[in-house]
Amino acid sequence: MALTDEDVSEILRIIDESAVEELTIETPSFSLHVNRSAAAPGRDRLAAPAPIDPEPAAAPPPHSPATPAPGAAEIEAPMLGTFYRTESPAHPPFVEVGDAVAPDTVVCLIEVMKLMNHIQAGVAGTIVEILARSGELVEFGQPLFRVAPAGE
Amino acid sequence: MTIARLFIANRGEIAVRIVRTCRELGIETVVGVSTADRDSMAAGLADRAVVIGPPHASDSYLRVDTIVQAALGTGADAIHPGYGFLAESPALAEATTQAGLRFVGPPAAVIATAGDKLAARALAQRAGLPVVPGREIATLEEAEAFAREHGYPVLLKAAAGGGGRGIKLAGDLAQLRLRHGLARAEAGAAFGDERLYIERLIASARHIEVQIAADERGGVIHLGERDCSTQRRYQKLVEEAPAPALEPRLRAALLDAAIAFAKAIGYRNLGTVEFVLDADTGEHHFLECNCRIQVEHPVTEALTGLDLVALQLAIADGEPLACAQRDVAFDGHAIECRLVAEDPAAGFAPSPGRVTRFALPDLAGLRVDTHCRDGTLIPPYYDSLMAKLIAHAPDRDGALATMGRALEQLEVEGVRTNRELLARIIADPRFRAGAVTTTWLEQAPA
């Protein structure tokens, strides 16, 4: 089986959309090794792949990502769940507008079936806008925070 | 109906199908979609679509926790699992009920028993259903004794296996002696378990299944049978009802057996009891029970005039069955063809891509369930089903004629499909004669 350029693009697209950090495919006709862990933390969300369907849909998309301001990055929900800005009602919010964040700064919680997931910023910069409301359902990929990246 | 908002944990044509019935019933719908299905027909038709995860089903459509959280977070009262994905997952049924929502399907315990082949088989035997002769064997002597009792050919399978792996066929005693050791070694290598299961091979088989419905009070009815014998590599391609050339006495025996099994397992909601019919001896054997709505359910809807999704929702809502067995009428003949995005020139490999043109014929007696239209993207991540064409007519010849015209007039561009194969099946004299077996297509001349 010969690989076409289209096949390679498709493989790369599938990898890009999946959660794997490292992948090795070996077949009698080819072998492929991909490692993207070096690029993963703090990845600029503006560099996200183009939507799978570039044509206008008959219906509005499930959630409409706002067009980020030039130079801003977005922290997206890595999973569907209930968004919380605080550890508990008694605690202050993890971050407020104007706070500086590092890639490993916890910015919120997302609850999936009573399991609380700490969500890290994944990017260094300053929070400029909070896009989701505490206690609400957020979808996979929904923008949660807008961040002005550091050092730009 | 106390269900006001339904969460649909599925995609493709069945998600569209469920939304349509909900619209008629005034039930709001939320469909959980992966990022690949954001712009799907179901997402557009539902009252709301929420993105549950990335394209790969293991990160989206197969995530029990995410789906239940999405249903809770969108204020749904119930979850409909469709078919495939988590439709027969006891874990989803359990988690849904634990979260205080209704699951549109049988209870977790029923799904678990039906999903365990040996447990289901034992239960069927206790309920008096014939099963394909077979048993676990420890030695070659036991295998030989089984074959003496039930005759050749026999199949040797890994008792711990599944998915057709490691199955050996023995046509006579010499082959059995030759292959027994090999089967045992392979079972050990593949599953870490050398136990074998021996079964009589039904060389010439018809696949006939019975649609059943059971309410929360234990009332059970059947909605007739479907013949699903036309398969390719164990995938059903064409289904029809009533089953052609089925003796009335045998038909009655199948329907009674299905009801007996449903009662024995404590079945609830819509289900299907599958049988294998030995075309040489006329014997029927219980195969398995599917705890979900089937792909081919429209065939039954055509004959009975019932909406099976509406029936599922009413049962899940706690309502008793609205019709008694004597009220279920069967009208005419219906045939369904599954149109899939597969490339016949590449050994029917999946052919994902963008459908640039999708034009359906408008024919009397033709129903099409689909998620495709001009511009639909068939993603590479899921099954390749594009549409189901269902032809209904007063008799089989009429249904065949409608289906033949429909397949001829259907226009699909942008992806390769099995349209021509379906047209050849419908036109084939062997299929038209009725009562085909599960291997007829593979024996057909190219």
Side-chain angles (χ1 to χ4, degrees):
Chain A
M1 183 187 77
L3 272 188
T4 65
D5 287 353
E6 273 177 24
D7 293 334
V8 174
S9 312
E10 179 63 17
I11 291 168
L12 289 175
R13 195 172 62 78
I14 291 169
I15 293 165
D16 206 28
E17 286 170 359
S18 74
V20 298
E21 291 299 336
E22 198 167 348
L23 175 78
T24 304
I25 299 173
E26 276 183 29
T27 78
S29 56
F30 72 93
S31 71
L32 171 73
H33 182 78
V34 176
N35 183 344
R36 64 172 195 191
S37 58
R43 205 155 36 116
D44 187 344
R45 296 292 175 174
L46 285 174
I52 192 161
D53 186 349
E55 290 186 9
H63 61 77
S64 319
T67 314
E74 280 172 351
I75 303 170
E76 294 174 355
M79 65 193 73
L80 174 144
T82 308
F83 172 80
Y84 292 107
R85 288 192 56 209
T86 62
E87 186 82 58
S88 76
H91 285 73
F94 291 106
V95 290
E96 294 281 10
V97 170
D99 285 359
V101 294
D104 60 355
T105 305
V106 172
V107 291
C108 63
L109 288 179
I110 294 182
E111 181 201 344
V112 186
M113 296 309 288
K114 307 209 163 59
L115 196 74
M116 296 295 177
N117 301 278
H118 281 114
I119 308 302
Q120 298 180 347
V123 61
T126 307
I127 302 281
V128 292
E129 193 177 352
I130 298 163
L131 302 167
R133 280 204 300 205
S134 216
E136 279 188 354
L137 180 81
V138 292
E139 301 175 30
F140 171 79
Q142 183 172 333
L144 305 174
F145 300 91
R146 197 163 290 151
V147 179
E152 280 194 10
Chain B
M1 179 79 65
T2 59
I3 297 173
R5 188 176 295 162
L6 180 71
F7 188 89
I8 300 167
N10 214 297
R11 65 178 304 280
E13 66 86 20
I14 194 64
V16 172
R17 163 79 192 81
I18 296 165
V19 170
R20 290 201 195 283
T21 284
C22 287
R23 284 185 157 190
E24 281 177 31
L25 297 174
I27 298 172
E28 289 181 6
T29 48
V30 180
V31 58
V33 296
S34 75
T35 50
D37 287 330
R38 259 184 229 269
D39 299 322
S40 64
M41 187 182 281
L45 288 173
D47 292 284
R48 187 174 172 189
V50 290
V51 179
I52 54 172
H56 284 283
S58 54
D59 301 321
S60 49
Y61 295 107
L62 292 172
R63 290 296 300 257
V64 171
D65 52 354
T66 302
I67 282 163
V68 176
Q69 184 70 46
L72 285 171
T74 52
D77 316 300
I79 295 179
H80 196 308
Y83 55 68
F85 296 125
L86 294 172
E88 287 168 287
S89 151
L92 179 64
E94 183 68 29
T96 302
T97 317
Q98 288 290 320
L101 307 177
R102 288 172 194 269
F103 181 73
V104 184
V110 169
I111 300 175
T113 305
D116 177 339
K117 281 213 164 203
L118 287 180
R121 179 190 155 91
L123 193 132
Q125 277 184 299
R126 285 201 300 277
L129 276 72
V131 295
V132 178
R135 70 168 82 112
E136 206 177 296
I137 46 158
T139 61
L140 176 61
E141 288 67 38
E142 284 182 34
E144 288 179 15
F146 174 88
R148 268 198 306 277
E149 189 183 338
H150 296 281
Y152 290 93
V154 293
L155 291 174
L156 292 167
K157 306 176 175 182
R165 280 182 71 186
I167 296 181
K168 299 268 171 257
L169 172 67
D172 52 39
L173 179 61
Q175 287 183 346
L176 180 61
R177 286 179 174 163
L178 197 66
R179 290 182 185 153
H180 172 266
L182 198 61
R184 181 166 291 271
E186 280 190 19
F191 304 103
D193 184 344
E194 287 199 344
R195 286 177 308 141
L196 291 179
Y197 188 85
I198 190 166
E199 191 176 272
R200 197 181 85 202
L201 172 75
I202 297 175
S204 191
R206 293 177 69 184
H207 177 116
I208 296 184
E209 58 188 29
V210 176
Q211 181 74 68
I212 51 157
D215 63 23
E216 297 294 336
R217 299 160 198 208
V220 187
I221 58 171
H222 72 77
L223 301 174
E225 85 284 1
R226 294 183 290 256
D227 188 329
C228 310
S229 299
T230 299
Q231 306 180 357
R232 208 185 146 275
R233 292 186 195 154
Y234 306 107
Q235 301 300 311
K236 297 171 185 170
L237 279 173
V238 180
E239 300 101 342
E240 63 183 308
L246 188 64
E247 281 177 41
R249 221 172 47 193
L250 183 50
R251 178 172 188 267
L254 290 178
L255 299 175
D256 287 348
I259 298 244
F261 182 81
K263 287 187 171 161
I265 201 172
Y267 204 83
R268 298 291 183 267
N269 215 294
L270 197 70
T272 298
V273 184
E274 296 191 340
F275 296 92
V276 56
L277 215 74
D278 190 325
D280 296 328
T281 66
E283 294 171 298
H284 69 280
H285 309 280
F286 167 85
L287 203 58
E288 61 181 17
C289 174
N290 299 136
C291 300
R292 56 167 195 267
I293 192 159
Q294 301 265 126
V295 174
E296 58 270 26
H297 76 275
V299 165
T300 300
E301 292 184 322
L303 260 59
T304 60
L306 294 168
D307 179 330
L308 296 189
V309 173
L311 182 61
Q312 283 190 297
L313 292 169
I315 293 169
D317 204 41
E319 292 174 24
L321 289 168
C323 50
Q325 189 66 63
R326 63 179 176 279
D327 301 327
V328 181
F330 300 94
D331 170 38
H333 196 97
I335 300 178
E336 173 183 279
C337 283
R338 300 190 187 190
L339 184 76
V340 294
E342 291 178 1
D343 187 353
F348 292 93
S351 165
R354 192 171 301 282
V355 181
T356 51
R357 179 166 163 73
F358 192 74
L360 295 171
D362 185 11
L363 298 172
L366 178 71
R367 162 181 169 181
V368 181
D369 282 17
T370 185
H371 61 114
C372 294
R373 58 190 164 200
D374 293 354
T376 295
L377 184 75
I378 309 286
Y381 316 102
Y382 316 110
D383 79 39
S384 54
L385 183 63
M386 297 179 70
K388 306 184 306 204
L389 287 75
I390 305 102
H392 184 213
D395 55 33
R396 189 167 188 261
D397 284 346
L400 284 167
T402 303
M403 185 60 82
R405 276 198 299 279
L407 291 166
E408 192 182 316
Q409 293 175 21
L410 173 73
E411 292 179 54
V412 184
E413 289 169 20
V415 296
R416 306 300 305 269
T417 74
N418 65 338
R419 185 180 68 92
E420 283 174 22
L421 172 64
L422 293 171
R424 280 204 305 277
I425 291 170
I426 296 300
D428 194 297
R430 286 165 297 178
F431 181 77
R432 297 186 83 90
V436 293
T437 62
T438 51
T439 52
W440 84 270
L441 203 54
E442 271 133 324
Q443 293 161 351

